[in-house]
Amino acid sequence: MEEKKPKSSFLSWCRRYISLLFVGLLALYVYVLFFNDNSYGHLRELQSEIRLLEAEKQQNQDTLNKYHQLNRLLLSDKEELERIAREKYGMQRLGEDVYIVE
């Protein structure tokens, strides 16, 4: 008669092929990937914040360049200085009437 092998169960298969070291390393990998301070989700949030701050930095740099250019223009061109003073600040020449329309 032939002897029948007992059917192996899932638990015996796990004991045979999966070691405790493998399970520990897998648990450590999952912890680092999802629950750590340096997790994947947290890093994505920080990257999006970096992109927003870099865009804001570029916008501020453009504004700064605009004002530097305006400052250079006002220091070198007296007519431009007079135009800005009259338009923005409502200044006037002697004997001149200024009407401000809002």
Side-chain angles (χ1 to χ4, degrees):
M1 256 196 196
E2 287 184 29
E3 281 187 40
K4 292 185 177 181
K5 283 186 171 181
K7 293 185 178 181
S8 61
S9 67
F10 178 72
L11 188 59
S12 64
W13 180 86
C14 288
R15 283 185 191 152
R16 183 173 181 176
Y17 293 108
I18 299 177
S19 68
L20 189 58
L21 179 64
F22 176 73
V23 172
L25 289 175
L26 183 64
L28 180 65
Y29 179 73
V30 168
Y31 171 74
V32 168
L33 189 62
F34 296 111
F35 303 110
N36 195 3
D37 287 337
N38 299 325
S39 68
Y40 180 70
H42 187 65
L43 290 177
R44 284 181 49 101
E45 289 174 11
L46 291 176
Q47 285 293 347
S48 66
E49 185 175 345
I50 286 171
R51 273 186 253 116
L52 289 174
L53 290 174
E54 284 178 352
E56 184 179 343
K57 177 183 166 187
Q58 183 62 39
Q59 183 180 6
N60 290 339
Q61 187 66 39
D62 292 342
T63 304
L64 180 67
N65 290 339
K66 175 187 163 197
Y67 283 115
H68 276 297
Q69 183 181 11
L70 181 62
N71 192 18
R72 273 187 254 117
L73 182 63
L74 292 176
L75 289 175
S76 64
D77 190 6
K78 298 299 178 189
E79 291 176 4
E80 186 68 20
L81 178 63
E82 184 179 341
R83 183 186 70 81
I84 296 293
R86 298 175 108 209
E87 286 179 3
K88 286 196 174 187
Y89 302 110
M91 299 180 106
Q92 61 187 3
R93 291 183 182 149
L94 290 175
E96 182 179 54
D97 293 330
V98 175
Y99 299 100
I100 298 175
V101 179
E102 293 184 18

